[in-house]
PDB file of all heavy atoms in Angstrom:
ATOM      1  N   SER A  42       0.849  -1.173   0.050  1.00 97.00           N
ATOM      2  CA  SER A  42      -0.009  -0.002  -0.014  1.00 97.00           C
ATOM      3  C   SER A  42       0.878   1.343   0.029  1.00 97.00           C
ATOM      4  O   SER A  42       0.512   2.246  -0.710  1.00 97.00           O
ATOM      5  CB  SER A  42      -0.908   0.000   1.172  1.00 97.00           C
ATOM      6  OG  SER A  42      -1.706  -1.112   1.180  1.00 97.00           O
ATOM      7  N   LYS A  43       1.942   1.198   0.763  1.00 95.00           N
ATOM      8  CA  LYS A  43       2.824   2.398   0.847  1.00 95.00           C
ATOM      9  C   LYS A  43       3.504   2.613  -0.529  1.00 95.00           C
ATOM     10  O   LYS A  43       3.627   3.770  -0.954  1.00 95.00           O
ATOM     11  CB  LYS A  43       3.901   2.145   1.956  1.00 95.00           C
ATOM     12  CG  LYS A  43       4.898   3.233   2.159  1.00 95.00           C
ATOM     13  CD  LYS A  43       5.854   2.872   3.291  1.00 95.00           C
ATOM     14  CE  LYS A  43       6.859   3.891   3.490  1.00 95.00           C
ATOM     15  NZ  LYS A  43       7.791   3.582   4.550  1.00 95.00           N
ATOM     16  N   LEU A  44       3.994   1.548  -1.134  1.00 97.00           N
ATOM     17  CA  LEU A  44       4.674   1.672  -2.450  1.00 97.00           C
ATOM     18  C   LEU A  44       3.694   2.183  -3.541  1.00 97.00           C
ATOM     19  O   LEU A  44       4.183   2.878  -4.385  1.00 97.00           O
ATOM     20  CB  LEU A  44       5.281   0.315  -2.886  1.00 97.00           C
ATOM     21  CG  LEU A  44       6.488  -0.128  -2.002  1.00 97.00           C
ATOM     22  CD1 LEU A  44       6.861  -1.473  -2.456  1.00 97.00           C
ATOM     23  CD2 LEU A  44       7.668   0.857  -2.036  1.00 97.00           C
ATOM     24  N   ALA A  45       2.471   1.790  -3.486  1.00 97.00           N
ATOM     25  CA  ALA A  45       1.480   2.223  -4.477  1.00 97.00           C
ATOM     26  C   ALA A  45       1.293   3.702  -4.470  1.00 97.00           C
ATOM     27  O   ALA A  45       1.115   4.388  -5.500  1.00 97.00           O
ATOM     28  CB  ALA A  45       0.208   1.577  -4.231  1.00 97.00           C
ATOM     29  N   VAL A  46       1.437   4.325  -3.245  1.00 96.00           N
ATOM     30  CA  VAL A  46       1.389   5.836  -3.178  1.00 96.00           C
ATOM     31  C   VAL A  46       2.725   6.421  -3.599  1.00 96.00           C
ATOM     32  O   VAL A  46       2.732   7.424  -4.339  1.00 96.00           O
ATOM     33  CB  VAL A  46       1.022   6.193  -1.683  1.00 96.00           C
ATOM     34  CG1 VAL A  46       1.142   7.739  -1.519  1.00 96.00           C
ATOM     35  CG2 VAL A  46      -0.259   5.637  -1.383  1.00 96.00           C
ATOM     36  N   LEU A  47       3.863   5.850  -3.094  1.00 96.00           N
ATOM     37  CA  LEU A  47       5.137   6.386  -3.466  1.00 96.00           C
ATOM     38  C   LEU A  47       5.478   6.380  -4.971  1.00 96.00           C
ATOM     39  O   LEU A  47       6.081   7.264  -5.526  1.00 96.00           O
ATOM     40  CB  LEU A  47       6.232   5.686  -2.659  1.00 96.00           C
ATOM     41  CG  LEU A  47       6.364   5.935  -1.204  1.00 96.00           C
ATOM     42  CD1 LEU A  47       7.507   5.047  -0.657  1.00 96.00           C
ATOM     43  CD2 LEU A  47       6.796   7.351  -0.993  1.00 96.00           C
ATOM     44  N   HIS A  48       5.006   5.223  -5.670  1.00 97.00           N
ATOM     45  CA  HIS A  48       5.453   5.069  -7.056  1.00 97.00           C
ATOM     46  C   HIS A  48       4.213   4.833  -7.900  1.00 97.00           C
ATOM     47  O   HIS A  48       3.912   3.732  -8.351  1.00 97.00           O
ATOM     48  CB  HIS A  48       6.299   3.827  -7.051  1.00 97.00           C
ATOM     49  CG  HIS A  48       7.534   3.862  -6.267  1.00 97.00           C
ATOM     50  ND1 HIS A  48       8.401   4.984  -6.284  1.00 97.00           N
ATOM     51  CD2 HIS A  48       8.059   2.988  -5.300  1.00 97.00           C
ATOM     52  CE1 HIS A  48       9.376   4.726  -5.366  1.00 97.00           C
ATOM     53  NE2 HIS A  48       9.176   3.640  -4.740  1.00 97.00           N
ATOM     54  N   PRO A  49       3.415   5.908  -8.194  1.00 97.00           N
ATOM     55  CA  PRO A  49       2.238   5.788  -8.984  1.00 97.00           C
ATOM     56  C   PRO A  49       2.452   5.327 -10.446  1.00 97.00           C
ATOM     57  O   PRO A  49       1.451   4.849 -10.964  1.00 97.00           O
ATOM     58  CB  PRO A  49       1.660   7.184  -8.911  1.00 97.00           C
ATOM     59  CG  PRO A  49       2.850   8.072  -8.644  1.00 97.00           C
ATOM     60  CD  PRO A  49       3.730   7.341  -7.728  1.00 97.00           C
ATOM     61  N   ASP A  50       3.628   5.562 -10.989  1.00 98.00           N
ATOM     62  CA  ASP A  50       3.789   5.134 -12.354  1.00 98.00           C
ATOM     63  C   ASP A  50       4.182   3.700 -12.524  1.00 98.00           C
ATOM     64  O   ASP A  50       4.096   3.116 -13.561  1.00 98.00           O
ATOM     65  CB  ASP A  50       4.897   6.011 -12.933  1.00 98.00           C
ATOM     66  CG  ASP A  50       4.504   7.427 -13.185  1.00 98.00           C
ATOM     67  OD1 ASP A  50       3.329   7.740 -13.145  1.00 98.00           O
ATOM     68  OD2 ASP A  50       5.380   8.335 -13.210  1.00 98.00           O
ATOM     69  N   ALA A  51       4.682   3.119 -11.442  1.00 98.00           N
ATOM     70  CA  ALA A  51       4.982   1.691 -11.447  1.00 98.00           C
ATOM     71  C   ALA A  51       3.743   0.807 -11.172  1.00 98.00           C
ATOM     72  O   ALA A  51       2.730   1.306 -10.854  1.00 98.00           O
ATOM     73  CB  ALA A  51       6.118   1.412 -10.301  1.00 98.00           C
ATOM     74  N   HIS A  52       3.911  -0.467 -11.418  1.00 98.00           N
ATOM     75  CA  HIS A  52       2.809  -1.419 -11.161  1.00 98.00           C
ATOM     76  C   HIS A  52       3.181  -2.216  -9.899  1.00 98.00           C
ATOM     77  O   HIS A  52       4.092  -3.015  -9.845  1.00 98.00           O
ATOM     78  CB  HIS A  52       2.667  -2.359 -12.355  1.00 98.00           C
ATOM     79  CG  HIS A  52       2.556  -1.623 -13.646  1.00 98.00           C
ATOM     80  ND1 HIS A  52       1.312  -1.278 -14.154  1.00 98.00           N
ATOM     81  CD2 HIS A  52       3.438  -1.311 -14.546  1.00 98.00           C
ATOM     82  CE1 HIS A  52       1.448  -0.624 -15.291  1.00 98.00           C
ATOM     83  NE2 HIS A  52       2.782  -0.708 -15.573  1.00 98.00           N
ATOM     84  N   ILE A  53       2.378  -1.984  -8.821  1.00 98.00           N
ATOM     85  CA  ILE A  53       2.607  -2.590  -7.614  1.00 98.00           C
ATOM     86  C   ILE A  53       1.547  -3.676  -7.223  1.00 98.00           C
ATOM     87  O   ILE A  53       0.353  -3.373  -7.372  1.00 98.00           O
ATOM     88  CB  ILE A  53       2.686  -1.519  -6.413  1.00 98.00           C
ATOM     89  CG1 ILE A  53       3.528  -0.297  -6.811  1.00 98.00           C
ATOM     90  CG2 ILE A  53       3.060  -2.190  -5.089  1.00 98.00           C
ATOM     91  CD1 ILE A  53       5.019  -0.589  -6.903  1.00 98.00           C
ATOM     92  N   TYR A  54       1.918  -4.823  -6.816  1.00 98.00           N
ATOM     93  CA  TYR A  54       0.974  -5.925  -6.582  1.00 98.00           C
ATOM     94  C   TYR A  54       1.337  -6.629  -5.196  1.00 98.00           C
ATOM     95  O   TYR A  54       2.474  -6.537  -4.750  1.00 98.00           O
ATOM     96  CB  TYR A  54       1.175  -7.057  -7.618  1.00 98.00           C
ATOM     97  CG  TYR A  54       1.189  -6.589  -9.027  1.00 98.00           C
ATOM     98  CD1 TYR A  54       2.401  -6.157  -9.659  1.00 98.00           C
ATOM     99  CD2 TYR A  54       0.050  -6.676  -9.863  1.00 98.00           C
ATOM    100  CE1 TYR A  54       2.404  -5.763 -10.907  1.00 98.00           C
ATOM    101  CE2 TYR A  54       0.099  -6.344 -11.259  1.00 98.00           C
ATOM    102  CZ  TYR A  54       1.310  -5.857 -11.745  1.00 98.00           C
ATOM    103  OH  TYR A  54       1.288  -5.568 -13.072  1.00 98.00           O
ATOM    104  N   HIS A  55       0.364  -7.157  -4.614  1.00 98.00           N
ATOM    105  CA  HIS A  55       0.602  -7.950  -3.355  1.00 98.00           C
ATOM    106  C   HIS A  55       0.715  -9.357  -3.818  1.00 98.00           C
ATOM    107  O   HIS A  55      -0.088  -9.945  -4.535  1.00 98.00           O
ATOM    108  CB  HIS A  55      -0.573  -7.824  -2.368  1.00 98.00           C
ATOM    109  CG  HIS A  55      -0.503  -8.743  -1.255  1.00 98.00           C
ATOM    110  ND1 HIS A  55      -1.148  -9.929  -1.076  1.00 98.00           N
ATOM    111  CD2 HIS A  55       0.293  -8.682  -0.137  1.00 98.00           C
ATOM    112  CE1 HIS A  55      -0.845 -10.485   0.061  1.00 98.00           C
ATOM    113  NE2 HIS A  55       0.100  -9.728   0.647  1.00 98.00           N
ATOM    114  N   MET A  56       1.823 -10.080  -3.323  1.00 98.00           N
ATOM    115  CA  MET A  56       2.040 -11.444  -3.644  1.00 98.00           C
ATOM    116  C   MET A  56       2.783 -12.083  -2.524  1.00 98.00           C
ATOM    117  O   MET A  56       3.916 -11.883  -2.304  1.00 98.00           O
ATOM    118  CB  MET A  56       2.817 -11.614  -4.979  1.00 98.00           C
ATOM    119  CG  MET A  56       3.097 -13.104  -5.354  1.00 98.00           C
ATOM    120  SD  MET A  56       1.566 -13.997  -5.528  1.00 98.00           S
ATOM    121  CE  MET A  56       0.785 -13.135  -6.887  1.00 98.00           C
ATOM    122  N   PRO A  57       2.131 -12.936  -1.749  1.00 97.00           N
ATOM    123  CA  PRO A  57       2.810 -13.697  -0.748  1.00 97.00           C
ATOM    124  C   PRO A  57       3.913 -14.585  -1.242  1.00 97.00           C
ATOM    125  O   PRO A  57       3.930 -14.924  -2.445  1.00 97.00           O
ATOM    126  CB  PRO A  57       1.696 -14.615  -0.119  1.00 97.00           C
ATOM    127  CG  PRO A  57       0.429 -13.850  -0.403  1.00 97.00           C
ATOM    128  CD  PRO A  57       0.597 -13.253  -1.820  1.00 97.00           C
ATOM    129  N   LEU A  58       4.874 -14.888  -0.421  1.00 97.00           N
ATOM    130  CA  LEU A  58       5.974 -15.707  -0.756  1.00 97.00           C
ATOM    131  C   LEU A  58       5.567 -17.164  -0.970  1.00 97.00           C
ATOM    132  O   LEU A  58       4.436 -17.557  -0.731  1.00 97.00           O
ATOM    133  CB  LEU A  58       7.108 -15.596   0.236  1.00 97.00           C
ATOM    134  CG  LEU A  58       7.655 -14.112   0.409  1.00 97.00           C
ATOM    135  CD1 LEU A  58       8.610 -14.032   1.523  1.00 97.00           C
ATOM    136  CD2 LEU A  58       8.382 -13.732  -0.921  1.00 97.00           C
ATOM    137  N   ALA A  59       6.478 -18.061  -1.417  1.00 97.00           N
ATOM    138  CA  ALA A  59       6.170 -19.361  -1.782  1.00 97.00           C
ATOM    139  C   ALA A  59       7.116 -20.378  -1.178  1.00 97.00           C
ATOM    140  O   ALA A  59       8.192 -20.129  -0.741  1.00 97.00           O
ATOM    141  CB  ALA A  59       6.162 -19.487  -3.333  1.00 97.00           C
ATOM    142  N   VAL A  60       6.691 -21.703  -1.356  1.00 95.00           N
ATOM    143  CA  VAL A  60       7.521 -22.809  -0.887  1.00 95.00           C
ATOM    144  C   VAL A  60       7.558 -23.831  -2.058  1.00 95.00           C
ATOM    145  O   VAL A  60       6.625 -24.004  -2.770  1.00 95.00           O
ATOM    146  CB  VAL A  60       6.925 -23.469   0.418  1.00 95.00           C
ATOM    147  CG1 VAL A  60       5.478 -24.037   0.162  1.00 95.00           C
ATOM    148  CG2 VAL A  60       7.818 -24.475   0.953  1.00 95.00           C
ATOM    149  N   ASP A  61       8.644 -24.500  -2.107  1.00 93.00           N
ATOM    150  CA  ASP A  61       8.906 -25.447  -3.122  1.00 93.00           C
ATOM    151  C   ASP A  61       8.397 -26.799  -2.788  1.00 93.00           C
ATOM    152  O   ASP A  61       9.066 -27.596  -2.063  1.00 93.00           O
ATOM    153  CB  ASP A  61      10.383 -25.556  -3.462  1.00 93.00           C
ATOM    154  CG  ASP A  61      10.684 -26.418  -4.721  1.00 93.00           C
ATOM    155  OD1 ASP A  61       9.780 -27.174  -5.123  1.00 93.00           O
ATOM    156  OD2 ASP A  61      11.860 -26.338  -5.252  1.00 93.00           O
ATOM    157  N   ILE A  62       7.120 -27.086  -2.947  1.00 90.00           N
ATOM    158  CA  ILE A  62       6.415 -28.318  -2.510  1.00 90.00           C
ATOM    159  C   ILE A  62       7.089 -29.466  -3.140  1.00 90.00           C
ATOM    160  O   ILE A  62       7.244 -30.542  -2.502  1.00 90.00           O
ATOM    161  CB  ILE A  62       4.918 -28.198  -2.790  1.00 90.00           C
ATOM    162  CG1 ILE A  62       4.239 -27.124  -1.867  1.00 90.00           C
ATOM    163  CG2 ILE A  62       4.252 -29.611  -2.470  1.00 90.00           C
ATOM    164  CD1 ILE A  62       4.347 -27.324  -0.409  1.00 90.00           C
ATOM    165  N   ASP A  63       7.329 -29.535  -4.424  1.00 86.00           N
ATOM    166  CA  ASP A  63       7.976 -30.670  -5.026  1.00 86.00           C
ATOM    167  C   ASP A  63       9.265 -31.009  -4.448  1.00 86.00           C
ATOM    168  O   ASP A  63       9.575 -32.271  -4.187  1.00 86.00           O
ATOM    169  CB  ASP A  63       8.159 -30.325  -6.563  1.00 86.00           C
ATOM    170  CG  ASP A  63       6.890 -30.287  -7.311  1.00 86.00           C
ATOM    171  OD1 ASP A  63       5.884 -30.797  -6.804  1.00 86.00           O
ATOM    172  OD2 ASP A  63       6.879 -29.749  -8.514  1.00 86.00           O
ATOM    173  N   ARG A  64      10.102 -30.035  -4.113  1.00 86.00           N
ATOM    174  CA  ARG A  64      11.394 -30.322  -3.438  1.00 86.00           C
ATOM    175  C   ARG A  64      11.089 -30.905  -2.050  1.00 86.00           C
ATOM    176  O   ARG A  64      11.834 -31.870  -1.654  1.00 86.00           O
ATOM    177  CB  ARG A  64      12.227 -29.122  -3.383  1.00 86.00           C
ATOM    178  CG  ARG A  64      13.502 -29.227  -2.618  1.00 86.00           C
ATOM    179  CD  ARG A  64      14.392 -28.045  -2.702  1.00 86.00           C
ATOM    180  NE  ARG A  64      13.805 -26.786  -2.180  1.00 86.00           N
ATOM    181  CZ  ARG A  64      13.697 -26.449  -0.924  1.00 86.00           C
ATOM    182  NH1 ARG A  64      14.360 -27.279  -0.031  1.00 86.00           N
ATOM    183  NH2 ARG A  64      13.198 -25.403  -0.556  1.00 86.00           N
ATOM    184  N   MET A  65      10.204 -30.424  -1.367  1.00 87.00           N
ATOM    185  CA  MET A  65       9.781 -30.963   0.007  1.00 87.00           C
ATOM    186  C   MET A  65       9.452 -32.425  -0.125  1.00 87.00           C
ATOM    187  O   MET A  65       9.917 -33.254   0.645  1.00 87.00           O
ATOM    188  CB  MET A  65       8.703 -30.104   0.599  1.00 87.00           C
ATOM    189  CG  MET A  65       9.007 -28.710   0.909  1.00 87.00           C
ATOM    190  SD  MET A  65      10.370 -28.463   2.111  1.00 87.00           S
ATOM    191  CE  MET A  65      10.341 -26.733   2.186  1.00 87.00           C
ATOM    192  N   LEU A  66       8.659 -32.722  -1.077  1.00 84.00           N
ATOM    193  CA  LEU A  66       8.220 -34.091  -1.237  1.00 84.00           C
ATOM    194  C   LEU A  66       9.274 -35.057  -1.742  1.00 84.00           C
ATOM    195  O   LEU A  66       9.271 -36.263  -1.388  1.00 84.00           O
ATOM    196  CB  LEU A  66       7.059 -34.263  -2.243  1.00 84.00           C
ATOM    197  CG  LEU A  66       5.755 -33.440  -1.718  1.00 84.00           C
ATOM    198  CD1 LEU A  66       4.660 -33.598  -2.779  1.00 84.00           C
ATOM    199  CD2 LEU A  66       5.241 -34.056  -0.467  1.00 84.00           C
ATOM    200  N   GLN A  67      10.291 -34.598  -2.358  1.00 82.00           N
ATOM    201  CA  GLN A  67      11.525 -35.343  -2.763  1.00 82.00           C
ATOM    202  C   GLN A  67      12.320 -35.672  -1.485  1.00 82.00           C
ATOM    203  O   GLN A  67      12.947 -36.715  -1.396  1.00 82.00           O
ATOM    204  CB  GLN A  67      12.339 -34.628  -3.827  1.00 82.00           C
ATOM    205  CG  GLN A  67      11.710 -34.544  -5.123  1.00 82.00           C
ATOM    206  CD  GLN A  67      12.484 -33.712  -6.106  1.00 82.00           C
ATOM    207  OE1 GLN A  67      13.487 -33.259  -5.715  1.00 82.00           O
ATOM    208  NE2 GLN A  67      11.999 -33.523  -7.314  1.00 82.00           N
ATOM    209  N   ILE A  68      12.444 -34.745  -0.561  1.00 80.00           N
ATOM    210  CA  ILE A  68      13.240 -34.887   0.689  1.00 80.00           C
ATOM    211  C   ILE A  68      12.553 -35.654   1.718  1.00 80.00           C
ATOM    212  O   ILE A  68      13.071 -36.485   2.410  1.00 80.00           O
ATOM    213  CB  ILE A  68      13.692 -33.437   1.187  1.00 80.00           C
ATOM    214  CG1 ILE A  68      14.498 -32.729   0.234  1.00 80.00           C
ATOM    215  CG2 ILE A  68      14.480 -33.579   2.514  1.00 80.00           C
ATOM    216  CD1 ILE A  68      14.759 -31.282   0.568  1.00 80.00           C
ATOM    217  N   LEU A  69      11.271 -35.377   1.839  1.00 78.00           N
ATOM    218  CA  LEU A  69      10.399 -35.942   2.973  1.00 78.00           C
ATOM    219  C   LEU A  69       9.326 -36.802   2.498  1.00 78.00           C
ATOM    220  O   LEU A  69       8.812 -36.843   1.401  1.00 78.00           O
ATOM    221  CB  LEU A  69       9.802 -34.700   3.669  1.00 78.00           C
ATOM    222  CG  LEU A  69      10.666 -33.525   4.094  1.00 78.00           C
ATOM    223  CD1 LEU A  69       9.936 -32.317   4.368  1.00 78.00           C
ATOM    224  CD2 LEU A  69      11.579 -33.959   5.247  1.00 78.00           C
ATOM    225  N   ASP A  70       8.951 -37.736   3.467  1.00 65.00           N
ATOM    226  CA  ASP A  70       7.885 -38.742   3.197  1.00 65.00           C
ATOM    227  C   ASP A  70       6.533 -38.005   3.511  1.00 65.00           C
ATOM    228  O   ASP A  70       6.428 -37.070   4.229  1.00 65.00           O
ATOM    229  CB  ASP A  70       8.020 -39.902   3.978  1.00 65.00           C
ATOM    230  CG  ASP A  70       9.275 -40.769   3.576  1.00 65.00           C
ATOM    231  OD1 ASP A  70       9.624 -40.661   2.421  1.00 65.00           O
ATOM    232  OD2 ASP A  70       9.801 -41.330   4.547  1.00 65.00           O
ATOM    233  N   GLU A  71       5.452 -38.480   2.805  1.00 56.00           N
ATOM    234  CA  GLU A  71       4.135 -37.977   3.075  1.00 56.00           C
ATOM    235  C   GLU A  71       3.305 -39.079   3.753  1.00 56.00           C
ATOM    236  O   GLU A  71       3.445 -40.263   3.485  1.00 56.00           O
ATOM    237  CB  GLU A  71       3.455 -37.625   1.832  1.00 56.00           C
ATOM    238  CG  GLU A  71       2.027 -37.252   1.870  1.00 56.00           C
ATOM    239  CD  GLU A  71       1.893 -35.799   1.523  1.00 56.00           C
ATOM    240  OE1 GLU A  71       2.473 -35.328   0.618  1.00 56.00           O
ATOM    241  OE2 GLU A  71       1.049 -35.167   2.167  1.00 56.00           O
TER     242      GLU A  71
END
């Protein structure tokens, strides 16, 4: 929200971070 005000010409989006599920399943059992 803060960046959207500071940089009106840019395109600002909200996007949570991610986890590599495939790698987790290769390392760990389910």
Side-chain angles (χ1 to χ4, degrees):
S42 300
K43 181 179 178 180
L44 291 175
V46 175
L47 284 177
H48 304 308
D50 293 339
H52 308 274
I53 312 294
Y54 313 80
H55 175 256
M56 180 57 62
L58 298 171
V60 63
D61 188 347
I62 294 296
D63 288 344
R64 176 172 58 85
M65 295 297 183
L66 294 179
Q67 289 173 1
I68 298 171
L69 308 164
D70 295 327
E71 173 116 36

